[in-house]
Amino acid sequence: MSRGKRAAGGRTGKTRKTAGVNNFVVKFANVNGSGSASANNLFAKAIFRMGIPVSPHNIFPSNIQGLPTWYEVRVNDKGFLGRREGVDLMVAVNEQTIVRDIESVVPDGYVLYDSSKALRPIRKDVNFLPIPLKDICLREFQHPGQRQLFQNIVYVGALATLLDIDFGILTGMISEQFRGKEKLILPNVHALELGYHYARDHFDCPLPIRLRPSRKARGKILMDGNTAIGLGCVYGGATVASWYPLTPSTSVVEAYGKYCKRLRIDPGTGKRKFAIVQAEDELAAIGIAIGAGWNGARAFTASSGPGVSLMQEFLGLAYFAEVPVVLFNIQRVGPSTGMPTRTQQGDLLSCAFASHGDTRQVLLFPSTPKECFEFAAGSFDIADRLQTPVIVMSDLELGMNEHVCDPLEWDDTGGYDRGKVLGGEQLEQMEEYGRYLDVDGDGVPWRTLPGAHPERGSYFTRGSSHDAMAAYTEDGNVYAEVMDRLARKFAGAGKVLPEPEIQADGASRGMIYFGTTAGAIPEVQHKFAKRGVRLDTLRIRSYPFHDAVSRFIEEHEIVYVIEQNRDAQLKSLLKIDCGANDGKMRSVLNYNGVVISADQIQEAILVDLPEAPEREQASA
Amino acid sequence: MSYIVKPRFHHPQLQKNDLGYTRRDYEGTLTTLCGGCGHDSISAAIIHAVHEMSLAPHQLAKVSGIGCSSKIPSYFLERSHGFNSVHGRMPSIATGANLANRELYYLGISGDGDTASIGLGQFCHIVRRRINMLYIVANNGTYGLTKGQLSATADLGSKTKSGEESQYDNIDLVSLAIDLGASFVARSFSGDKEQLVPLIQAGLSHRGFALIDVISPCVTFNNTPLSAHGYKNTWENNVVLSEIDFVPMRKEITARYSAGKDKEITLHDGSVIHLHKTGSGYDPGNRENALLHVNEYKKQGRIATGLLYINQDQSDFHELADTVNKPFNRLNEHDLCPGGEVLADINETFM
């Protein structure tokens, strides 16, 4: 030990096999509302800027101030960015949870804590990194707010030394963040330096778990799904957003508004080419979007479980009256209020069949921010083409956490597809117009917009039974014809929906998954490959399912259906729609509110594999 | 099947308006409501009003909720697009439609169940939001389609045909609308076409949210001598606070009631409202006064009608939201999509 520093575990030379250079998990245990979020974000982003793949997760309470909140950052040079169990370094600065937080650290792991107050040593098999955060800030800063806030920046500075974060990147980010508020740059950089120097003078730095600049994340972006959706709505031509604030969907409309204020201002007049209505509830939110869609504007709303439940009646109207509208469902844990700040894929069935009577809704399942952007922009084309609601099924994990992904792309050559809309001139040429006539045989009729023609093309939109001319009818046969046409339209929807992503190599077993489960899959494949096990994969990206989904199930002896809910909702939907044999489909489920991990998937499948010794144990 | 096509033949000398349309061009399908229903009189008043002011039917969109009232958009303005939505939610459909195209006229038709019970929340918020539209409530104090239950606008002590007596205070939509900031509030009676037609014309021309609460008796379930919303009570206790005459824009002012005229109001589109003397000296420009009068007459068991409140200085939703003049539904990708180059810059901010 040189200069009397603490060896901080480096002494034993032992590190956990799973952790090492560019491969570890750091978790921050904070108090909600203490200003930790931006400091923790600074930490994660700095690692990303070193070119290292990183996946930060917020595990936050439904609370404004005072309750415990965690931020978990996985660093993995192979790019395995699903959640991993076990914490290699805990920044334990919340007294409420410190005992439990320390207990969750792996043997030989590290605990950075605020030593301004003595800590009762509760474990001997972890390495403590005491830093008097409070005392340092009391000494260095005058303003009470800064004394609290900068404790977070000080520990980021210390982590820079401990983990070998490029200090220039950190100070550069501080300068970017406070552009326009320059006088805040100096104290922030000072706080970083305080931590940096303290760690350098007191510990053997860097730790065995540390960073090394990489190329793996070069050229990528680090973005959350909700921001990508908001931006996608701007690119997709949405002009009307109506919403009711609800975690975890709120930031969708906030992002849309932020980008609109930059990108949707008419240069000549300074006026806005968008309108956002914060409605009185979710019923009104979707009603406004449907009214706008009916009248030819591209419109959307964003919500989550409780709000989507309230929208059911209107979703049925839009299905039956054939009005384009887009709903972003950023799923959270249900039923009822559930766990509002935790993630789940629990709304599959309630959205696929949203509303009473025979209804089927089009669903899209993004799994990366890039897909959030593409599906958001594309959903308006799909809704217009099919004249029906499109529900984009994201979740809290994707929506509210930042993910490393490829940069967003936009093809300037393709215009918007507004679907079958007849203008005044076309109406003038027509002999007969019927709103719900299946002229083209694809189940999609032609619509007109109010004001199109002085004497032709008007019709009465209704949720009551109607004939092909949009007139009210109680004739059961006419009703059935309309319902059959809607079924035909739905069955043919696949051609405008994203196809499943398939990796098939002739394996006898396969995995079907969707959405945020995708984060864990490359690691699952890697783990199985090491054991000599091969599994084909299919990632579902839309509903109704493409034919390729049925084929994939047929072609495999056993199919593992991996999803994040209790009731195996995707498996049910596959049974209903693909007629899949229940015996060959096996569920891998996770519904504890945090995203499914590669370990969970691997363990669940291992016990089911015939060649695995675990299987004998399981059946014994 | 309750959809009946109307015979097309008509008198060759039907009067044409400035657009060359006869009143027949503003009609709809045959009504399926009960004979004598007040709502049919409202349909007739709408047809009369819109034809007379030479409004092109395709420039107007009809929106409604659910109930007897909400059926009537089928019975007028067949050349207008219509949207019969879900129960109590017409205001949200109207809001969205108005956002998509600010150039059209929007006519909302609702009932007392649709507006004062299931849709009370949406009603309050569309008033607050100042959507530019005319919202007509066909108010009969009862649920007709479900056979005669009392509605939330039924006055305390009012009795339906089955003898059920209202035990609760009623929700007065006129006071509520004035209180929440509606800029045009009127009450009328389906049996008084002279009063109703100019109110509809003025309400459509008014920029901002306009409400007309129309007492419209239900002949089948709520028209007994003890029904507050019956013909008898409405005729006997109707107090006309202010009578108006409407002159569409660009029309020569030929005041039918010039002798009694005491005030002119020019609307934003150039149309003119003549307020004529009723002896009361009532000023519809004063919000507190309007609330005071409506409540005072209500206490006496009387119904204040006419143009009760008007405020022309209020901005509508589009002005508040600072939206472009061109309707949203005519903006294309050139207007709306920032393009690939901008996206490359945005990517940079996430690196």
Side-chain angles (χ1 to χ4, degrees):
Chain A
M1 289 203 295
S2 59
R3 288 187 286 158
K5 292 182 197 174
R6 285 175 192 243
R11 177 179 43 186
T12 60
K14 268 199 292 179
T15 52
R16 197 167 167 262
K17 241 170 74 184
T18 52
V21 175
N22 286 355
N23 183 19
F24 53 85
V25 173
V26 177
K27 193 167 178 174
F28 300 81
N30 300 99
V31 178
N32 200 31
S34 66
S36 58
S38 59
N40 297 347
N41 191 266
L42 181 73
F43 169 79
K45 186 104 186 223
I47 296 172
F48 171 71
R49 287 205 174 166
M50 291 172 73
I52 307 162
V54 65
S55 59
H57 282 95
N58 262 306
I59 304 157
F60 61 103
S62 180
N63 163 260
I64 294 169
Q65 204 170 44
L67 287 185
T69 181
W70 292 270
Y71 188 72
E72 195 177 82
V73 181
R74 182 177 184 189
V75 177
N76 185 283
D77 212 18
K78 290 198 176 75
F80 298 153
L81 295 175
R83 199 170 164 268
R84 198 206 79 190
E85 299 293 332
V87 178
D88 299 302
L89 192 160
M90 175 71 77
V91 178
V93 290
N94 184 356
E95 286 182 31
Q96 302 168 68
T97 59
I98 194 159
V99 173
R100 214 161 36 130
D101 291 331
I102 292 172
E103 278 167 3
S104 68
V105 176
V106 300
D108 291 328
Y110 300 88
V111 176
L112 187 161
Y113 71 101
D114 182 4
S115 58
S116 309
K117 199 173 153 190
L119 176 71
R120 189 168 51 87
I122 54 165
R123 273 181 75 175
K124 291 206 168 83
D125 62 340
V126 293
N127 305 287
F128 287 94
L129 303 167
I131 303 179
L133 298 169
K134 209 168 287 163
D135 290 345
I136 292 175
C137 289
L138 273 175
R139 190 184 67 223
E140 298 285 333
F141 301 102
Q142 303 308 314
H143 191 272
Q146 290 190 338
R147 284 174 167 176
Q148 165 63 41
L149 220 56
F150 283 142
Q151 291 177 36
N152 307 312
I153 304 293
V154 171
Y155 70 61
V156 173
L159 290 171
T161 333
L162 290 163
L163 303 175
D164 221 357
I165 300 174
D166 186 331
F167 201 72
I169 288 179
L170 282 173
T171 53
M173 287 173 67
I174 293 281
S175 305
E176 269 173 43
Q177 192 183 337
F178 296 107
R179 195 169 291 149
K181 300 178 209 161
E182 269 75 12
K183 67 172 189 220
L184 291 174
I185 295 175
L186 216 60
N188 271 282
V189 172
H190 181 54
L192 275 179
E193 283 170 344
L194 287 168
Y196 189 86
H197 293 141
Y198 190 92
R200 188 193 60 194
D201 296 343
H202 293 83
F203 313 118
D204 258 346
C205 296
L207 304 177
I209 53 163
R210 49 176 285 246
L211 301 161
R212 186 183 295 142
S214 169
R215 305 189 142 269
K216 286 278 164 58
R218 290 261 182 266
K220 306 263 184 189
I221 60 169
L222 183 66
M223 191 181 202
D224 67 84
N226 284 357
T227 299
I229 287 178
L231 186 60
C233 291
V234 176
Y235 272 74
T239 48
V240 175
S242 50
W243 69 304
Y244 187 79
L246 183 69
T247 305
S249 64
T250 302
S251 51
V252 168
V253 178
E254 285 175 346
Y256 172 75
K258 185 185 92 177
Y259 284 112
C260 278
K261 282 174 197 158
R262 272 174 48 194
L263 304 169
R264 284 281 192 78
I265 303 296
D266 181 59
T269 60
K271 288 181 178 292
R272 296 173 166 198
K273 291 185 277 190
F274 70 98
I276 299 172
V277 183
Q278 186 185 315
E280 58 271 29
D281 53 34
E282 288 87 350
L283 287 81
I286 189 135
I288 291 166
I290 290 170
W294 172 73
N295 209 358
R298 291 190 149 182
F300 73 94
T301 182
S303 192
S304 189
V308 175
S309 289
L310 286 178
M311 296 177 182
Q312 298 276 313
E313 186 183 16
F314 255 137
L315 284 168
L317 172 77
Y319 170 81
F320 194 37
E322 302 180 64
V323 182
V325 65
V326 176
L327 160 62
F328 297 97
N329 181 1
I330 316 302
Q331 297 167 93
R332 66 187 217 187
V333 174
S336 190
T337 308
M339 292 198 282
T341 57
R342 299 289 190 271
T343 198
Q344 197 168 67
Q345 298 175 325
D347 299 349
L348 238 68
L349 290 173
S350 63
C351 284
F353 300 99
S355 210
H356 54 275
D358 287 324
T359 51
R360 291 290 177 111
Q361 307 289 1
V362 172
L363 311 179
L364 301 180
F365 304 104
S367 71
T368 63
K370 187 164 193 262
E371 274 189 344
C372 283
F373 173 79
E374 289 168 359
F375 287 9
S379 64
F380 296 97
D381 280 357
I382 294 168
D384 274 345
R385 284 277 295 268
L386 298 173
Q387 299 176 20
T388 200
V390 173
I391 308 177
V392 181
M393 306 287 285
S394 178
D395 59 21
L396 183 143
E397 159 67 15
L398 178 56
M400 290 189 71
N401 290 310
E402 292 182 302
H403 301 264
V404 173
C405 70
D406 290 328
L408 311 181
E409 291 172 82
W410 186 257
D411 176 8
D412 285 315
T413 58
Y416 298 154
D417 183 347
R418 299 305 317 263
K420 299 183 187 178
V421 184
L422 293 170
E425 281 173 30
Q426 289 158 296
L427 284 165
E428 187 67 39
Q429 312 293 324
M430 289 175 77
E431 297 268 311
E432 179 196 47
Y433 169 71
R435 168 65 180 97
Y436 299 112
L437 281 173
D438 187 8
V439 181
D440 307 311
D442 58 357
V444 183
W446 288 81
R447 65 181 186 133
T448 60
L449 302 180
H453 189 281
E455 284 155 26
R456 295 175 177 197
S458 69
Y459 68 97
F460 204 71
T461 304
R462 57 178 98 236
S464 47
S465 177
H466 42 267
D467 63 17
M469 306 305 285
Y472 180 77
T473 180
E474 289 172 9
D475 181 327
N477 293 325
V478 175
Y479 160 81
E481 278 170 27
V482 172
M483 292 303 288
D484 290 344
R485 178 181 57 74
L486 285 168
R488 275 205 311 282
K489 176 170 95 168
F490 193 76
K495 48 184 188 298
V496 296
L497 299 178
E499 290 174 2
E501 192 181 76
I502 301 172
Q503 286 184 338
D505 200 14
S508 61
R509 295 182 180 223
M511 298 187 281
I512 293 183
Y513 62 96
F514 67 100
T516 48
T517 301
I521 296 299
E523 192 172 4
V524 171
Q525 290 286 54
H526 176 77
K527 284 169 187 279
F528 278 124
K530 283 208 292 198
R531 291 171 173 265
V533 177
R534 277 189 305 138
L535 288 166
D536 289 344
T537 62
L538 182 145
R539 179 165 69 90
I540 287 173
R541 301 204 300 164
S542 60
Y543 177 78
F545 302 123
H546 277 261
D547 295 342
V549 178
S550 303
R551 275 203 306 276
F552 184 88
I553 296 171
E554 276 164 29
E555 286 164 8
H556 291 85
E557 285 168 24
I558 302 289
V559 176
Y560 299 103
V561 183
I562 308 163
E563 51 187 317
Q564 301 175 48
N565 58 64
R566 182 192 68 179
D567 289 347
Q569 297 187 25
L570 175 63
K571 195 174 96 171
S572 294
L573 212 48
L574 290 169
K575 269 157 67 180
I576 296 167
D577 278 45
C578 302
N581 169 4
D582 198 20
K584 73 193 299 188
M585 293 202 293
R586 312 224 167 131
S587 279
V588 177
L589 304 171
N590 175 59
Y591 46 94
N592 61 6
V594 286
V595 68
I596 196 166
S597 69
D599 284 337
Q600 283 174 304
I601 298 170
Q602 189 202 17
E603 280 162 27
I605 294 177
L606 265 181
V607 297
D608 195 62
L609 291 176
E611 61 269 37
E614 285 90 337
R615 182 170 180 162
E616 273 93 56
Q617 284 167 18
S619 56
Chain B
M1 194 161 120
S2 48
Y3 163 69
I4 304 161
V5 181
K6 235 179 209 180
R8 272 287 148 215
F9 107 101
H10 56 75
H11 195 278
Q13 263 136 40
L14 271 180
Q15 207 187 341
K16 289 182 175 174
N17 65 11
D18 291 353
L19 301 170
Y21 292 138
T22 70
R23 199 169 297 174
R24 274 293 168 90
D25 297 317
Y26 289 80
E27 290 179 350
T29 58
L30 270 183
T31 178
T32 61
L33 299 172
C34 310
C37 177
H39 298 2
D40 282 333
S41 307
I42 298 175
S43 292
I46 291 168
I47 292 166
H48 185 123
V50 181
H51 173 255
E52 193 177 79
M53 66 195 288
S54 293
L55 202 157
H58 75 295
Q59 291 300 319
L60 182 147
K62 311 169 285 186
V63 285
S64 65
I66 292 290
C68 290
S69 60
S70 295
K71 287 179 161 200
I72 71 167
S74 284
Y75 315 141
F76 58 81
L77 299 181
E78 205 172 17
R79 290 181 186 174
S80 304
H81 276 67
F83 197 151
N84 185 196
S85 65
V86 292
H87 202 12
R89 317 295 170 207
M90 175 270 274
S92 57
I93 295 293
T95 300
N98 181 287
L99 294 190
N101 185 354
R102 63 188 297 178
E103 286 184 352
L104 299 184
Y105 290 86
Y106 294 93
L107 174 59
I109 304 286
S110 181
D112 38 308
D114 203 53
T115 290
S117 290
I118 191 169
L120 189 61
Q122 294 221 338
F123 174 72
C124 292
H125 287 277
I126 196 170
V127 174
R128 286 185 66 228
R129 227 170 265 136
R130 306 179 184 181
I131 296 299
N132 184 11
M133 72 177 297
L134 170 59
Y135 189 119
I136 293 178
V137 179
N139 186 350
N140 57 17
T142 189
Y143 287 78
L145 278 175
T146 51
K147 307 212 184 299
Q149 298 79 11
L150 285 160
S151 88
T153 62
D155 301 62
L156 183 67
S158 177
K159 275 188 179 170
T160 64
K161 191 177 166 190
S162 65
E164 191 187 0
E165 183 177 325
S166 176
Q167 296 177 304
Y168 311 109
D169 276 315
N170 68 320
I171 291 175
D172 183 68
L173 295 171
V174 157
S175 327
L176 189 61
I178 296 172
D179 201 38
L180 292 169
S183 51
F184 180 110
V185 180
R187 182 147 54 202
S188 189
F189 174 37
S190 62
D192 188 355
K193 202 169 165 185
E194 284 276 300
Q195 184 190 48
L196 183 54
V197 167
L199 284 174
I200 292 170
Q201 293 170 331
L204 282 170
S205 299
H206 173 75
R207 187 197 63 190
F209 184 82
L211 170 74
I212 310 177
D213 178 24
V214 186
I215 309 297
S216 176
C218 172
V219 289
T220 305
F221 296 111
N222 200 18
N223 193 30
T224 71
L226 296 172
S227 309
H229 284 75
Y231 279 107
K232 182 173 179 290
N233 185 60
T234 310
W235 276 127
E236 285 174 1
N237 289 302
N238 179 358
V239 182
V240 180
L241 277 188
S242 73
E243 221 170 320
I244 68 159
D245 202 17
F246 177 82
V247 184
M249 58 178 165
R250 296 185 302 274
K251 276 263 170 130
E252 195 189 342
I253 298 171
T254 54
R256 267 184 290 170
Y257 304 93
S258 56
K261 180 182 81 166
D262 62 5
K263 198 172 177 187
E264 265 185 26
I265 302 171
T266 306
L267 300 176
H268 284 269
D269 69 354
S271 310
V272 176
I273 295 175
H274 288 179
L275 281 166
H276 27 101
K277 279 186 181 145
T278 55
S280 65
Y282 182 77
D283 173 16
N286 184 323
R287 186 166 149 175
E288 284 69 33
N289 187 46
L291 282 170
L292 202 72
H293 273 76
V294 169
N295 287 324
E296 193 51 44
Y297 283 111
K298 186 183 163 186
K299 263 191 246 165
Q300 299 167 17
R302 307 185 74 191
I303 308 154
T305 64
L307 177 60
L308 302 172
Y309 179 63
I310 182 166
N311 171 9
Q312 286 211 90
D313 300 328
Q314 205 179 66
S315 308
D316 82 332
F317 178 91
H318 279 281
E319 287 171 285
L320 293 172
D322 203 20
T323 55
V324 289
N325 291 329
K326 193 173 178 183
F328 284 169
N329 69 358
R330 292 214 287 272
L331 300 175
N332 57 27
E333 52 262 39
H334 175 75
D335 303 306
L336 299 174
C337 184
E341 250 176 68
V342 172
L343 191 61
D345 291 343
I346 292 172
N347 276 325
E348 293 278 328
T349 66
F350 293 97
M351 287 183 168

